[in-house]
Amino acid sequence: MKAADLTVSTGSHWHSGARITDFSYNTLLALIPAIAMGLYRYGVCAAGVIGTAVASAMIAEAAMQKILGKPVRIADGSAAVSGLLLALLLPANTPAYMVVVASVIGITIGKLCFGGLGANPLSPALVGWAVLRITKPWAGYLDFDLALINYDLGFSMQYPLAVLKASGSSGLQDFNTWNLFLGNQTGGIGASAIVCVLGGGLYMIARGLVRWEIPLCFLLGVIIASCLFRLVDSAAYAGPLFHIVTGNVMIGAFFLSTDNSSAPINRWGMVAFGLCCGMITVVLRVWSVYPDGVVFACLLMSLFVPLLDKLKATPIVVRPTRAQITRKTVEGGASS
Amino acid sequence: MGLRAFCGDLPPRIPYWTGAVPVESLPLPQRATLLWREASPGDVGVAVGDSVQTGQNLAREGTGLFMSTVTGTVEEIDSLQGADAVEYAVVGIKTVEVDSYDSSINGIEDLANTAPEQILAMIIRAGFPGFDAVVQGATVETLIISALDQEPLTAVNAQVLLERANDVSDGIAMLSRATGAKKVVVAIPHNSAHAADDISVDQAEIVKVRATYPNGLPEILAKKQGAGLLLTTERNGTVGNTLVVSIEHLVGMVSCLREGRPFVNKIVTCCGKSGGELKNILVRIGTPVSMALDNLDVKLPPGGKLIINGPMHGYACFSDEQPMTATSDSVLVQKPAEVHRFESTACMNCGRCSAVCPVNLEVNLLGRFSEYGIFDKCAELGAENCIECGLCVYVCPARRPLLHLLAHARFVVKEETVEK
């Protein structure tokens, strides 16, 4: 047969049109309401933090890929998303050098050292944030009550989780759950805009870019753990609704824990991952020295992802397995 | 559709064709090319210059069945390496207009009083594919008659179901007796359930199957409707217990046994361009695909793709002389701009491939292990169960050549298994 001028390849010859950039660009889109809320609340300071974080993450990624001799792929938008998520967790007046350190470490050590997008066991934004959090001299900058002391936004300027830590659930009378849900609380630039983050998260689920299992089970985990604490002592521990609408839980459930490469991909793995993240969050809020535990919970559970991915559906056998073929051979040998 | 395109459906809904596509007959080609899978030119029992009859067995004595579908003179005997590392024997025949039929294929008039073995032998002799395992002595426990096409943009079984539903009952009665199947299942697309009224067989169970890819693939039908393994031949014998026969082949068997003629004409659905109209043509097996393209009035675009057997798991030919075989269901032409290009991007672990896999494989891991040659791990993850449906490639946002990687892993795992 004479070869013609044709393209030859394996199937499938159709494609759904999905691209890697779908994930990052849609995440950026979904976070716009939260960014807008942050800018409205904290003004140009917030813009500075977001801009610094995104720019330094992208520059770090491009520079590192150049140094490592890999193709530069900052256009896939994943570095921008990492930088943005990091910025949304920080107080509005975080010094620029801290932001740069966090995003550069997040991108280089958290991501590119492991081989880049898809190979990182931990979410780069979370690695960056955790570095700031555990660096002792900088602890004051991440304490929202101290950091945002000069702002008066017309609602209680006390960080709800710090109040909970200091005086138990009896100190929470000033906080109205509905107001907290609308984002009338201090906290990270975007993370505190609970309703905006929830809207963005639902958009991501509707687009099929975030699977529903992790966010749902994350929130479920928070509810279960806080109800358990509540059963023990309802005066000392806050209720599930308070936990869901404060701090980083909402952004954690929809955006931080669902980072593609540091989350399981099989259904029951995702369910276990989400539940554990949520429960550990509440446990850390109650027993750790930090007011919020979302980031550490996500980081901790990300380490268990290879294990959680073992919770998978067994392959459907449509072809003879090794055992069956060997058995046939034995049978054939016996009959002949 | 707009909302569904906005919301990323997992699994993606790729519907089968269910409308009517009238069949047009194509003239006999001047030269027919016959392919014989897993055979070498040495297995062919005729020489260049010999005259052959329609239905004549061209195989050397004792090497099996390789039936000529045309009458004429042998022009060429050659071999061809298939993409799956399988050797094909190729025989080119210059055809003559009037068929003279081989005398060893006879009609059976009184089916009820003929021994099942005799009916089965005649079906196999008439050139129907898929009975290799039965020939080797495997028992058929479940017989599945599939009225679903295997691929989208294919309307072969859909059209046969519309036109010849009343022959189906005879066919089922005949084939279930011939194979001795304990259970007979007729799989019908859920949206053409009216066809079930025309099919009346006491011993068969009629199942409505959702008419979306990959529900019509034989492996999936055997697993879901028959709860068994598809009958296949391995080097050490046969495996499985379920025989899947397409409705086109079934009504073909009815006609062949009535008239005593070999199975030489095949319905093929052609689509000249993406989104274009479908056209069913009746061709002689061995007709080059270029004749189908001429009939469609389509010129092959340089750098484009010529796909046989559907856009999902079909194969892209390298030549327009590629002949139609007894299992060719469709021809599709893609322009260079429509050709899906793979990219050398790393897996980003989004997990869509595993979510769509109809046999629950961890495609994300298998793709990586295969890429780096770690085939022990591929075997552990069950790579041999890949049915090569192509859905993982379809959804992959990193555009990785997953089917290529998995098919390679499957091939290596199978080779290693046989060696052990």
Side-chain angles (χ1 to χ4, degrees):
Chain A
M1 279 186 270
K2 201 167 83 254
D5 182 9
L6 289 167
T7 310
V8 185
S9 78
T10 52
S12 139
H13 309 287
W14 276 354
H15 193 263
S16 60
R19 296 198 154 275
I20 285 185
T21 47
D22 290 353
F23 292 88
S24 43
Y25 291 177
N26 277 298
T27 309
L28 296 178
L29 198 66
L31 286 170
I32 283 179
I35 299 170
M37 185 89 132
L39 295 181
Y40 169 71
R41 286 269 153 76
Y42 303 107
V44 74
C45 285
V49 172
I50 293 172
T52 316
V54 173
S56 53
M58 291 180 78
I59 293 169
E61 170 145 309
M64 191 71 175
Q65 281 172 338
K66 264 262 184 287
I67 293 167
L68 294 174
K70 289 183 172 185
V72 176
R73 289 189 197 270
I74 48 164
D76 67 18
S78 60
V81 168
S82 299
L84 180 64
L85 285 174
L86 171 69
L88 294 186
L89 297 179
L90 296 173
N93 49 1
T94 314
Y97 64 89
M98 278 172 62
V99 178
V100 171
V101 166
S103 40
V104 170
I105 289 183
I107 290 291
T108 52
I109 295 179
K111 183 168 153 194
L112 288 171
C113 282
F114 292 99
L117 181 64
N120 47 313
L122 303 170
S123 166
L126 302 187
V127 172
W129 188 91
V131 166
L132 292 191
R133 179 82 260 191
I134 59 175
T135 307
K136 213 165 177 202
W138 293 345
Y141 291 107
L142 286 189
D143 182 332
F144 292 104
D145 286 339
L146 290 175
L148 301 175
I149 201 158
N150 293 325
Y151 286 90
D152 184 9
L153 301 171
F155 47 79
S156 167
M157 288 310 289
Q158 284 177 304
Y159 187 48
L161 291 171
V163 174
L164 177 68
K165 189 117 248 172
S167 48
S169 73
S170 54
L172 300 178
Q173 261 112 36
D174 295 348
F175 297 106
N176 172 313
T177 310
W178 179 246
N179 265 332
L180 291 173
F181 176 69
L182 290 179
N184 293 329
Q185 56 175 308
T186 61
I189 294 169
S192 57
I194 306 295
V195 65
C196 301
V197 173
L198 176 64
L202 293 178
Y203 167 82
M204 292 294 282
I205 291 179
R207 291 301 303 265
L209 297 166
V210 163
R211 306 266 287 277
W212 56 269
E213 287 92 339
I214 295 179
L216 186 77
C217 293
F218 194 116
L219 298 180
L220 217 58
V222 170
I223 291 172
I224 292 171
S226 51
C227 284
L228 286 178
F229 276 111
R230 197 88 172 148
L231 279 179
V232 176
D233 186 353
S234 60
Y237 304 116
L241 277 180
F242 176 82
H243 276 295
I244 285 179
V245 297
T246 50
N248 296 334
V249 164
M250 205 58 92
I251 198 170
F254 286 96
F255 292 98
L256 303 180
S257 60
T258 53
D259 175 61
N260 275 326
S261 50
S262 55
I265 60 159
N266 298 315
R267 171 156 296 164
W268 293 109
M270 290 194 285
V271 168
F273 178 81
L275 284 174
C276 291
C277 280
M279 291 169 81
I280 293 173
T281 296
V282 176
V283 168
L284 289 178
R285 280 183 176 186
V286 171
W287 283 327
S288 78
V289 293
Y290 303 114
D292 202 352
V294 171
V295 174
F296 289 118
C298 292
L299 284 173
L300 185 66
M301 285 317 295
S302 287
L303 298 176
F304 288 93
V305 164
L307 206 60
L308 290 173
D309 258 340
K310 302 261 176 211
L311 291 173
K312 62 181 178 190
T314 32
I316 296 174
V317 176
V318 296
R319 293 260 159 63
T321 56
R322 283 181 178 199
Q324 280 170 308
I325 289 179
T326 331
R327 205 181 321 130
K328 281 278 164 192
T329 323
V330 174
E331 280 171 18
S335 62
S336 59
Chain B
M1 192 66 205
L3 186 67
R4 196 177 290 160
F6 176 80
C7 305
D9 255 0
L10 278 180
R13 282 181 208 153
I14 304 171
Y16 286 131
W17 193 273
T18 42
V21 183
V23 183
E24 181 192 331
S25 287
L26 243 58
L28 193 70
Q30 291 189 332
R31 184 192 145 105
T33 313
L34 304 175
L35 295 180
W36 187 11
R37 197 181 142 86
E38 286 183 272
S40 64
D43 296 333
V44 178
V46 289
V48 174
D50 286 3
S51 304
V52 294
Q53 289 178 309
T54 310
Q56 185 181 335
N57 187 2
L58 304 184
R60 198 158 47 78
E61 189 92 21
T63 51
L65 177 70
F66 175 37
M67 195 186 77
S68 170
T69 55
V70 289
T71 305
T73 321
V74 178
E75 277 191 333
E76 182 197 8
I77 296 175
D78 200 358
S79 73
L80 181 76
Q81 181 90 8
D84 46 358
V86 173
E87 195 185 2
Y88 288 82
V90 184
V91 174
I93 298 171
K94 188 173 164 46
T95 60
V96 293
E97 200 59 39
V98 184
D99 281 302
S100 66
Y101 290 96
D102 190 89
S103 58
S104 56
I105 299 172
N106 305 305
I108 298 177
E109 280 179 12
D110 189 5
L111 281 169
N113 290 325
T114 314
E117 297 79 22
Q118 213 176 330
I119 302 176
L120 187 63
M122 192 47 71
I123 290 172
I124 294 166
R125 181 63 187 80
F128 289 96
F131 289 92
D132 300 358
V134 181
V135 172
Q136 291 188 20
T139 38
V140 180
E141 277 175 28
T142 313
L143 172 67
I144 298 180
I145 308 297
S146 168
L148 286 99
D149 286 297
Q150 291 196 19
E151 283 266 353
L153 293 191
T154 306
V156 176
N157 287 339
Q159 181 64 20
V160 170
L161 187 64
L162 285 174
E163 275 183 7
R164 296 187 61 185
N166 28 358
D167 279 344
V168 173
S169 315
D170 288 352
I172 294 169
M174 176 195 78
L175 193 59
S176 62
R177 202 163 90 80
T179 54
K182 292 187 191 108
K183 186 180 161 200
V184 184
V185 179
V186 187
I188 285 181
H190 73 286
N191 45 9
S192 56
H194 59 85
D197 305 337
D198 298 337
I199 301 171
S200 55
V201 185
D202 305 334
Q203 67 271 40
E205 181 192 343
I206 295 179
V207 192
K208 288 173 195 166
V209 179
R210 190 156 188 86
T212 51
Y213 189 77
N215 291 342
L217 295 183
E219 287 92 346
I220 301 289
L221 283 172
K223 198 72 207 181
K224 293 209 173 142
Q225 314 309 332
L229 286 181
L230 193 64
L231 269 173
T232 43
T233 53
E234 298 292 331
R235 278 178 223 182
N236 304 320
T238 63
V239 190
N241 53 12
T242 307
L243 182 69
V244 179
V245 176
S246 80
I247 200 166
E248 189 206 7
H249 285 169
L250 186 79
V251 299
M253 287 170 201
V254 174
S255 312
C256 288
L257 288 197
R258 273 185 200 150
E259 295 155 19
R261 290 281 184 254
F263 177 59
V264 290
N265 290 319
K266 175 84 183 76
I267 301 175
V268 179
T269 308
C270 299
C271 183
K273 58 177 186 200
S274 295
E277 240 177 81
L278 296 193
K279 193 168 181 184
N280 266 338
I281 52 172
L282 186 69
V283 294
R284 188 62 70 94
I285 293 167
T287 306
V289 75
S290 56
M291 264 186 79
L293 297 179
D294 290 343
N295 176 264
L296 282 176
D297 214 6
V298 171
K299 289 229 156 34
L300 266 189
K305 249 186 197 175
L306 178 59
I307 302 156
I308 290 191
N309 269 350
M312 294 304 291
H313 83 315
Y315 57 94
C317 323
F318 65 89
S319 165
D320 61 350
E321 290 171 21
Q322 179 88 25
M324 297 291 158
T325 66
T327 51
S328 304
D329 281 338
S330 74
V331 172
L332 171 67
V333 181
Q334 281 184 337
K335 292 198 196 86
E338 294 160 352
V339 170
H340 168 55
R341 311 256 167 214
F342 296 117
E343 287 170 20
S344 67
T345 328
C347 171
M348 68 181 293
N349 211 43
C350 68
R352 285 184 176 184
C353 46
S354 300
V356 298
C357 183
V359 291
N360 294 346
L361 293 180
E362 285 189 281
V363 187
N364 58 330
L365 297 180
L366 278 167
R368 286 183 243 193
F369 286 135
S370 173
E371 189 175 359
Y372 293 101
I374 309 166
F375 295 111
D376 284 352
K377 288 275 183 192
C378 292
E380 267 173 39
L381 292 170
E384 71 271 14
N385 290 312
C386 174
I387 57 169
E388 299 179 17
C389 67
L391 277 170
C392 46
V393 179
Y394 182 80
V395 298
C396 182
R399 311 200 161 195
R400 286 163 63 77
L402 288 168
L403 178 56
H404 192 144
L405 294 168
L406 263 75
H408 179 53
R410 194 187 132 206
F411 178 77
V412 175
V413 168
K414 197 174 163 188
E415 292 293 301
E416 284 177 355
T417 309
V418 174
E419 274 165 28
K420 277 173 193 170

